[in-house]
Amino acid sequence: YMRIRFYNENNDNNAAASNYNRWRTNAKLVFSMPVAENMSLVWRISDQTDVKDRSTSNVLGTVDPSLTDNLFFLKYSANGLNAIVGKIPVMTPITSADSFTTAHGAGAIATYSVGGGLTLAAGYVDAVKNAVAAPSEGSYAGNVISNDIYTAAAIYSNKAFGDAQLWFFNATSLIDYEYVARLNINLLKDYGVDLHVDGAVSNLDNAVAKSLGNNSDDSHTYYNVSAAYKANALSAKVGWAQTNDKVGVVTTSYDAPIDAVGTTNQRYSIANLTDAVMAYAKVGYNVDTKTNVYVAAANIHDAAKQNSGEYEAGAKYKFNKKFGVSAYYSILDYSNKAEKAGNSDNNEFRFEAKYKF
Protein backbone atom coordinates (compact mmCIF):
# COMPACT_ATOMS: atom_id res chain seq x y z
CA TYR A 1 0.00 0.00 0.00
CA MET A 2 0.87 3.64 -0.43
CA ARG A 3 -1.56 6.21 0.88
CA ILE A 4 -1.92 9.97 1.32
CA ARG A 5 -4.59 11.43 3.58
CA PHE A 6 -5.52 15.05 4.23
CA TYR A 7 -7.88 15.96 7.10
CA ASN A 8 -9.51 19.17 8.19
CA GLU A 9 -10.83 19.02 11.76
CA ASN A 10 -13.20 21.70 13.07
CA ASN A 11 -14.62 21.20 16.55
CA ASP A 12 -16.41 23.20 19.21
CA ASN A 13 -13.48 23.23 21.61
CA ASN A 14 -12.54 26.88 22.12
CA ALA A 15 -8.86 26.09 22.54
CA ALA A 16 -6.50 27.50 19.94
CA ALA A 17 -5.62 23.98 18.83
CA SER A 18 -9.21 22.90 18.19
CA ASN A 19 -9.26 23.59 14.44
CA TYR A 20 -6.45 22.26 12.32
CA ASN A 21 -5.31 20.47 9.19
CA ARG A 22 -3.63 17.08 9.30
CA TRP A 23 -1.52 15.24 6.75
CA ARG A 24 -0.99 11.50 7.16
CA THR A 25 1.13 9.58 4.66
CA ASN A 26 1.74 5.82 4.81
CA ALA A 27 3.62 3.14 2.94
CA LYS A 28 3.70 -0.58 3.67
CA LEU A 29 5.90 -2.95 1.68
CA VAL A 30 6.03 -6.74 2.02
CA PHE A 31 8.86 -8.85 0.59
CA SER A 32 8.64 -12.66 0.40
CA MET A 33 11.82 -14.70 -0.15
CA PRO A 34 11.61 -18.46 -0.83
CA VAL A 35 14.19 -20.32 1.29
CA ALA A 36 13.13 -23.97 0.91
CA GLU A 37 10.32 -26.09 -0.46
CA ASN A 38 7.01 -24.74 0.89
CA MET A 39 8.86 -22.20 3.05
CA SER A 40 9.67 -18.52 2.71
CA LEU A 41 10.95 -15.67 4.82
CA VAL A 42 8.71 -12.60 4.85
CA TRP A 43 9.89 -9.07 5.67
CA ARG A 44 7.37 -6.29 6.13
CA ILE A 45 8.34 -2.67 6.62
CA SER A 46 6.15 0.39 6.99
CA ASP A 47 6.52 4.13 7.26
CA GLN A 48 4.19 6.82 8.57
CA THR A 49 4.29 10.61 8.70
CA ASP A 50 1.62 12.37 10.74
CA VAL A 51 1.67 16.17 10.67
CA LYS A 52 -0.86 18.48 12.30
CA ASP A 53 -0.56 22.18 11.51
CA ARG A 54 -2.53 24.59 13.68
CA SER A 55 -0.86 27.79 12.57
CA THR A 56 1.93 28.92 10.28
CA SER A 57 4.37 28.80 13.19
CA ASN A 58 3.15 25.67 14.99
CA VAL A 59 3.56 22.35 13.17
CA LEU A 60 3.07 19.29 15.36
CA GLY A 61 3.53 15.62 14.61
CA THR A 62 6.16 13.19 13.47
CA VAL A 63 7.49 14.78 10.31
CA ASP A 64 10.31 12.41 9.30
CA PRO A 65 10.02 9.14 11.27
CA SER A 66 12.18 6.11 10.79
CA LEU A 67 10.73 2.91 9.38
CA THR A 68 8.39 1.25 11.86
CA ASP A 69 6.54 -2.04 12.28
CA ASN A 70 9.38 -4.13 10.90
CA LEU A 71 8.05 -7.69 10.82
CA PHE A 72 10.16 -10.71 9.96
CA PHE A 73 8.82 -14.25 10.03
CA LEU A 74 9.03 -17.73 8.55
CA LYS A 75 6.03 -18.87 6.53
CA TYR A 76 5.20 -22.51 5.79
CA SER A 77 2.39 -23.80 3.54
CA ALA A 78 1.81 -27.43 2.54
CA ASN A 79 -0.88 -30.12 2.69
CA GLY A 80 -3.51 -27.87 4.24
CA LEU A 81 -1.19 -26.49 6.92
CA ASN A 82 -0.28 -22.79 6.97
CA ALA A 83 1.95 -21.40 9.71
CA ILE A 84 3.84 -18.20 10.45
CA VAL A 85 6.53 -17.95 13.15
CA GLY A 86 8.55 -14.93 14.30
CA LYS A 87 7.48 -11.32 14.55
CA ILE A 88 4.13 -11.71 12.87
CA PRO A 89 0.92 -9.89 11.95
CA VAL A 90 -1.89 -10.90 14.32
CA MET A 91 -5.12 -11.11 12.34
CA THR A 92 -7.89 -12.21 14.71
CA PRO A 93 -11.42 -10.89 15.34
CA ILE A 94 -10.26 -8.93 18.43
CA THR A 95 -7.03 -7.34 17.14
CA SER A 96 -6.51 -4.41 14.79
CA ALA A 97 -7.01 -5.21 11.12
CA ASP A 98 -6.33 -1.66 9.94
CA SER A 99 -4.06 -1.69 6.89
CA PHE A 100 -1.45 0.59 8.45
CA THR A 101 -1.83 -0.06 12.19
CA THR A 102 -2.15 -3.83 11.94
CA ALA A 103 -1.70 -5.66 15.24
CA HIS A 104 1.58 -7.59 15.41
CA GLY A 105 3.81 -9.32 17.92
CA ALA A 106 6.23 -12.17 18.53
CA GLY A 107 4.88 -15.69 18.32
CA ALA A 108 3.27 -18.25 16.03
CA ILE A 109 -0.11 -18.73 14.36
CA ALA A 110 -1.15 -21.81 12.37
CA THR A 111 -4.22 -22.98 10.47
CA TYR A 112 -5.03 -26.46 9.21
CA SER A 113 -7.66 -27.33 6.62
CA VAL A 114 -9.38 -30.50 7.85
CA GLY A 115 -11.59 -30.78 4.77
CA GLY A 116 -15.27 -30.40 4.10
CA GLY A 117 -15.03 -26.65 4.61
CA LEU A 118 -13.60 -26.89 8.16
CA THR A 119 -10.38 -25.15 9.19
CA LEU A 120 -8.78 -25.23 12.65
CA ALA A 121 -6.50 -22.48 13.96
CA ALA A 122 -4.28 -21.88 16.98
CA GLY A 123 -1.80 -19.24 18.03
CA TYR A 124 0.35 -17.65 20.72
CA VAL A 125 1.59 -14.06 20.59
CA ASP A 126 3.58 -11.92 23.03
CA ALA A 127 4.08 -8.12 23.13
CA VAL A 128 1.23 -7.21 20.79
CA LYS A 129 1.71 -3.76 19.28
CA ASN A 130 -1.16 -1.51 18.16
CA ALA A 131 -3.33 -2.72 21.01
CA VAL A 132 -4.81 -1.60 24.32
CA ALA A 133 -5.88 -3.63 27.34
CA ALA A 134 -8.21 -1.05 28.90
CA PRO A 135 -12.00 -0.99 28.40
CA SER A 136 -12.08 2.38 26.71
CA GLU A 137 -12.03 4.12 23.34
CA GLY A 138 -8.49 5.35 23.89
CA SER A 139 -5.98 5.38 21.06
CA TYR A 140 -4.35 2.00 20.40
CA ALA A 141 -1.93 2.91 17.58
CA GLY A 142 1.67 2.43 18.66
CA ASN A 143 0.77 1.01 22.08
CA VAL A 144 2.14 -2.36 23.23
CA ILE A 145 0.48 -4.72 25.70
CA SER A 146 2.65 -7.17 27.63
CA ASN A 147 -0.08 -9.78 28.07
CA ASP A 148 0.58 -13.10 26.35
CA ILE A 149 -2.38 -13.97 24.10
CA TYR A 150 -3.42 -17.55 23.36
CA THR A 151 -6.10 -18.40 20.82
CA ALA A 152 -7.80 -21.37 19.17
CA ALA A 153 -10.52 -21.36 16.53
CA ALA A 154 -12.75 -23.44 14.30
CA ILE A 155 -13.82 -21.90 10.97
CA TYR A 156 -16.43 -23.44 8.70
CA SER A 157 -17.31 -22.32 5.17
CA ASN A 158 -20.10 -23.51 2.89
CA LYS A 159 -21.00 -21.83 -0.40
CA ALA A 160 -24.71 -22.54 0.01
CA PHE A 161 -24.89 -21.30 3.61
CA GLY A 162 -22.04 -18.87 4.29
CA ASP A 163 -19.38 -19.18 6.95
CA ALA A 164 -19.16 -19.50 10.73
CA GLN A 165 -16.27 -18.89 13.14
CA LEU A 166 -15.81 -19.76 16.82
CA TRP A 167 -12.76 -18.35 18.63
CA PHE A 168 -11.33 -18.79 22.13
CA PHE A 169 -8.89 -16.30 23.68
CA ASN A 170 -6.87 -16.07 26.88
CA ALA A 171 -4.71 -13.07 27.75
CA THR A 172 -2.48 -13.53 30.78
CA SER A 173 -3.30 -11.24 33.72
CA LEU A 174 -6.10 -9.66 31.68
CA ILE A 175 -8.72 -12.02 30.21
CA ASP A 176 -9.35 -15.43 31.82
CA TYR A 177 -11.43 -16.47 28.84
CA GLU A 178 -13.21 -14.97 25.87
CA TYR A 179 -15.42 -16.59 23.26
CA VAL A 180 -16.14 -14.91 19.93
CA ALA A 181 -18.63 -16.15 17.35
CA ARG A 182 -19.00 -14.76 13.82
CA LEU A 183 -21.62 -15.74 11.28
CA ASN A 184 -22.13 -14.71 7.66
CA ILE A 185 -25.36 -16.00 6.14
CA ASN A 186 -25.89 -15.86 2.38
CA LEU A 187 -29.14 -17.86 2.16
CA LEU A 188 -30.79 -14.75 0.69
CA LYS A 189 -28.01 -13.95 -1.77
CA ASP A 190 -30.37 -14.50 -4.72
CA TYR A 191 -32.27 -11.45 -3.44
CA GLY A 192 -29.10 -9.42 -2.93
CA VAL A 193 -29.23 -9.72 0.88
CA ASP A 194 -26.37 -10.75 3.20
CA LEU A 195 -26.77 -11.16 6.97
CA HIS A 196 -23.97 -10.87 9.51
CA VAL A 197 -23.76 -11.57 13.26
CA ASP A 198 -20.91 -11.02 15.74
CA GLY A 199 -21.05 -12.06 19.39
CA ALA A 200 -18.49 -12.01 22.21
CA VAL A 201 -18.40 -12.80 25.93
CA SER A 202 -15.31 -12.01 28.00
CA ASN A 203 -14.43 -12.70 31.63
CA LEU A 204 -11.63 -10.60 33.09
CA ASP A 205 -8.82 -11.74 35.33
CA ASN A 206 -10.04 -11.51 38.95
CA ALA A 207 -7.60 -8.78 39.98
CA VAL A 208 -8.40 -6.69 36.90
CA ALA A 209 -12.14 -7.17 37.40
CA LYS A 210 -12.00 -6.02 41.02
CA SER A 211 -9.90 -2.97 40.10
CA LEU A 212 -12.71 -1.97 37.71
CA GLY A 213 -15.46 -2.53 40.26
CA ASN A 214 -16.72 -5.83 38.85
CA ASN A 215 -17.21 -9.11 40.66
CA SER A 216 -14.79 -11.76 39.46
CA ASP A 217 -17.63 -13.72 37.82
CA ASP A 218 -19.05 -10.75 35.89
CA SER A 219 -18.75 -11.07 32.13
CA HIS A 220 -18.80 -8.35 29.50
CA THR A 221 -20.95 -9.25 26.50
CA TYR A 222 -21.28 -7.70 23.05
CA TYR A 223 -23.17 -8.44 19.88
CA ASN A 224 -23.61 -6.88 16.46
CA VAL A 225 -26.22 -7.73 13.82
CA SER A 226 -26.33 -6.24 10.32
CA ALA A 227 -28.01 -6.75 6.97
CA ALA A 228 -26.60 -5.60 3.64
CA TYR A 229 -28.41 -5.27 0.32
CA LYS A 230 -26.94 -4.87 -3.15
CA ALA A 231 -28.69 -4.82 -6.51
CA ASN A 232 -27.52 -3.15 -9.70
CA ALA A 233 -26.13 0.27 -8.75
CA LEU A 234 -27.75 0.49 -5.30
CA SER A 235 -26.33 -0.77 -2.01
CA ALA A 236 -27.56 -0.39 1.56
CA LYS A 237 -26.61 -1.56 5.05
CA VAL A 238 -28.31 -1.33 8.46
CA GLY A 239 -27.08 -2.64 11.79
CA TRP A 240 -27.45 -2.72 15.55
CA ALA A 241 -24.72 -3.31 18.15
CA GLN A 242 -25.06 -3.54 21.95
CA THR A 243 -23.07 -4.30 25.12
CA ASN A 244 -24.19 -5.25 28.62
CA ASP A 245 -23.76 -3.23 31.84
CA LYS A 246 -20.52 -4.92 32.98
CA VAL A 247 -17.15 -3.22 32.51
CA GLY A 248 -14.88 -5.37 30.38
CA VAL A 249 -12.63 -5.95 27.38
CA VAL A 250 -13.61 -7.92 24.27
CA THR A 251 -11.32 -6.26 21.71
CA THR A 252 -7.80 -4.83 21.84
CA SER A 253 -8.54 -2.06 19.33
CA TYR A 254 -11.50 -0.22 17.85
CA ASP A 255 -10.26 -1.32 14.40
CA ALA A 256 -10.74 -4.99 15.24
CA PRO A 257 -13.08 -6.83 12.82
CA ILE A 258 -15.83 -7.35 15.43
CA ASP A 259 -15.55 -3.74 16.65
CA ALA A 260 -15.14 -1.59 13.52
CA VAL A 261 -18.71 -2.23 12.38
CA GLY A 262 -20.25 1.25 12.14
CA THR A 263 -20.79 3.03 8.83
CA THR A 264 -19.24 6.40 9.73
CA ASN A 265 -15.61 7.38 10.31
CA GLN A 266 -15.38 9.30 13.61
CA ARG A 267 -17.24 6.94 15.99
CA TYR A 268 -17.86 3.43 14.70
CA SER A 269 -17.23 1.04 17.60
CA ILE A 270 -18.66 0.24 21.03
CA ALA A 271 -17.42 -3.26 21.89
CA ASN A 272 -15.54 -2.22 25.05
CA LEU A 273 -18.05 0.41 26.19
CA THR A 274 -20.40 -0.31 29.09
CA ASP A 275 -24.16 -0.55 28.55
CA ALA A 276 -23.89 0.95 25.07
CA VAL A 277 -26.09 0.76 21.98
CA MET A 278 -25.22 1.75 18.40
CA ALA A 279 -27.59 1.93 15.44
CA TYR A 280 -26.05 2.55 12.03
CA ALA A 281 -27.01 2.71 8.35
CA LYS A 282 -25.51 3.47 4.94
CA VAL A 283 -26.86 3.90 1.42
CA GLY A 284 -24.59 3.95 -1.62
CA TYR A 285 -25.05 4.38 -5.36
CA ASN A 286 -22.69 3.58 -8.23
CA VAL A 287 -22.93 6.52 -10.60
CA ASP A 288 -20.84 4.57 -13.12
CA THR A 289 -18.29 1.74 -13.05
CA LYS A 290 -15.69 3.99 -11.41
CA THR A 291 -17.71 6.35 -9.21
CA ASN A 292 -19.63 5.67 -5.99
CA VAL A 293 -21.43 8.13 -3.72
CA TYR A 294 -22.94 7.41 -0.31
CA VAL A 295 -24.58 8.79 2.82
CA ALA A 296 -24.24 7.21 6.27
CA ALA A 297 -25.38 7.77 9.85
CA ALA A 298 -24.72 6.28 13.29
CA ASN A 299 -26.13 6.94 16.76
CA ILE A 300 -24.42 5.81 19.98
CA HIS A 301 -25.98 5.77 23.45
CA ASP A 302 -23.94 4.65 26.50
CA ALA A 303 -24.41 4.16 30.23
CA ALA A 304 -23.28 7.71 31.03
CA LYS A 305 -25.85 9.05 28.55
CA GLN A 306 -23.01 10.58 26.56
CA ASN A 307 -24.97 10.17 23.35
CA SER A 308 -23.72 11.06 19.89
CA GLY A 309 -25.05 11.21 16.38
CA GLU A 310 -22.82 11.19 13.31
CA TYR A 311 -23.84 12.01 9.74
CA GLU A 312 -21.58 11.53 6.74
CA ALA A 313 -21.58 11.98 2.98
CA GLY A 314 -18.81 10.77 0.72
CA ALA A 315 -17.64 9.67 -2.71
CA LYS A 316 -15.07 7.30 -4.19
CA TYR A 317 -13.48 7.21 -7.63
CA LYS A 318 -11.36 4.38 -9.07
CA PHE A 319 -8.83 5.33 -11.71
CA ASN A 320 -8.02 1.64 -12.13
CA LYS A 321 -7.90 -1.58 -10.09
CA LYS A 322 -4.88 -0.40 -8.09
CA PHE A 323 -5.38 3.34 -7.59
CA GLY A 324 -8.32 5.36 -6.35
CA VAL A 325 -9.29 8.51 -4.46
CA SER A 326 -12.05 9.17 -1.95
CA ALA A 327 -13.41 11.96 0.22
CA TYR A 328 -16.05 12.43 2.88
CA TYR A 329 -17.50 15.07 5.19
CA SER A 330 -18.63 13.93 8.63
CA ILE A 331 -20.58 15.82 11.31
CA LEU A 332 -20.30 14.42 14.86
CA ASP A 333 -22.84 15.86 17.28
CA TYR A 334 -22.74 15.03 21.01
CA SER A 335 -25.58 15.50 23.48
CA ASN A 336 -25.35 18.31 26.06
CA LYS A 337 -24.47 15.85 28.83
CA ALA A 338 -21.71 14.37 26.72
CA GLU A 339 -20.32 17.82 26.00
CA LYS A 340 -20.29 18.64 29.72
CA ALA A 341 -18.23 15.48 30.25
CA GLY A 342 -15.53 16.86 27.94
CA ASN A 343 -16.59 15.66 24.49
CA SER A 344 -16.66 18.10 21.60
CA ASP A 345 -18.78 18.22 18.48
CA ASN A 346 -16.53 17.87 15.45
CA ASN A 347 -16.78 18.33 11.70
CA GLU A 348 -14.25 16.31 9.73
CA PHE A 349 -13.27 16.43 6.07
CA ARG A 350 -10.94 13.76 4.71
CA PHE A 351 -9.39 13.23 1.28
CA GLU A 352 -7.49 10.04 0.48
CA ALA A 353 -5.39 8.80 -2.43
CA LYS A 354 -4.46 5.11 -2.18
CA TYR A 355 -2.38 2.78 -4.32
CA LYS A 356 -2.55 -0.96 -3.62
CA PHE A 357 -0.34 -3.47 -5.38
Side-chain angles (χ1 to χ4, degrees):
Y1 299 86
M2 292 184 177
R3 183 179 74 181
I4 299 171
R5 280 183 173 179
F6 168 79
Y7 300 78
N8 176 260
E9 307 288 351
N10 190 337
N11 64 60
D12 286 346
N13 188 336
N14 291 323
S18 62
N19 304 314
Y20 59 92
N21 294 328
R22 177 188 177 197
W23 292 88
R24 183 184 178 193
T25 57
N26 301 84
K28 183 169 74 174
L29 305 175
V30 182
F31 302 90
S32 181
M33 296 158 280
V35 294
E37 186 177 3
N38 304 319
M39 287 193 293
S40 58
L41 286 171
V42 181
W43 181 37
R44 193 193 88 183
I45 56 174
S46 65
D47 173 81
Q48 174 167 256
T49 296
D50 194 356
V51 179
K52 300 177 182 179
D53 66 271
R54 298 185 170 106
S55 73
T56 56
S57 61
N58 185 10
V59 178
L60 302 179
T62 307
V63 180
D64 291 310
S66 60
L67 294 175
T68 59
D69 297 352
N70 296 290
L71 306 191
F72 193 77
F73 55 91
L74 181 67
K75 181 179 180 180
Y76 175 84
S77 299
N79 302 318
L81 176 64
N82 293 279
I84 53 176
V85 181
K87 191 178 178 187
I88 58 176
V90 184
M91 305 298 286
T92 77
I94 71 168
T95 50
S96 173
D98 178 78
S99 300
F100 296 94
T101 52
T102 308
H104 57 275
I109 296 176
T111 64
Y112 179 69
S113 178
V114 178
L118 178 63
T119 299
L120 302 179
Y124 158 78
V125 185
D126 187 19
V128 179
K129 188 174 181 180
N130 293 330
V132 292
S136 69
E137 289 186 294
S139 176
Y140 70 89
N143 293 335
V144 179
I145 60 174
S146 58
N147 314 83
D148 297 344
I149 297 179
Y150 299 85
T151 185
I155 303 166
Y156 176 74
S157 179
N158 183 298
K159 289 183 179 180
F161 168 76
D163 63 79
Q165 303 178 18
L166 180 63
W167 292 75
F168 167 81
F169 294 93
N170 168 266
T172 57
S173 302
L174 176 63
I175 299 173
D176 281 346
Y177 64 81
E178 178 176 349
Y179 295 98
V180 174
R182 309 195 75 199
L183 186 63
N184 292 300
I185 304 172
N186 60 17
L187 295 175
L188 300 175
K189 63 181 179 180
D190 291 341
Y191 301 95
V193 177
D194 291 313
L195 303 176
H196 178 81
V197 180
D198 290 318
V201 55
S202 172
N203 190 277
L204 291 172
D205 173 83
N206 289 351
V208 176
K210 290 179 180 178
S211 71
L212 297 172
N214 282 358
N215 294 322
S216 59
D217 59 350
D218 287 344
S219 295
H220 184 73
T221 62
Y222 163 78
Y223 72 86
N224 165 62
V225 179
S226 65
Y229 172 79
K230 188 174 183 180
N232 300 319
L234 181 67
S235 63
K237 184 177 183 178
V238 294
W240 180 274
Q242 188 165 351
T243 66
N244 71 349
D245 60 356
K246 307 301 181 184
V247 177
V249 174
V250 296
T251 71
T252 62
S253 91
Y254 49 78
D255 279 324
I258 68 167
D259 202 359
V261 297
T263 49
T264 53
N265 279 280
Q266 295 195 68
R267 294 194 80 198
Y268 48 82
S269 67
I270 66 166
N272 287 352
L273 298 185
T274 304
D275 197 14
V277 172
M278 177 171 64
Y280 56 91
K282 183 178 182 179
V283 177
Y285 182 77
N286 292 329
V287 179
D288 53 39
T289 57
K290 293 186 176 183
T291 310
N292 174 267
V293 294
Y294 71 89
V295 291
N299 179 271
I300 294 178
H301 172 92
D302 63 22
K305 295 183 173 55
Q306 296 183 15
N307 308 328
S308 70
E310 185 177 356
Y311 314 95
E312 181 174 309
K316 300 177 181 180
Y317 180 79
K318 289 185 177 181
F319 286 88
N320 50 54
K321 291 182 178 180
K322 295 182 179 181
F323 180 68
V325 297
S326 63
Y328 68 75
Y329 190 80
S330 169
I331 299 171
L332 178 61
D333 182 24
Y334 281 97
S335 66
N336 289 335
K337 187 168 185 178
E339 289 180 339
K340 290 178 181 178
N343 298 289
S344 297
D345 295 345
N346 188 66
N347 296 343
E348 179 178 271
F349 169 78
R350 191 189 80 186
F351 169 82
E352 175 183 280
K354 184 177 179 180
Y355 181 69
K356 181 179 180 180
F357 60 98

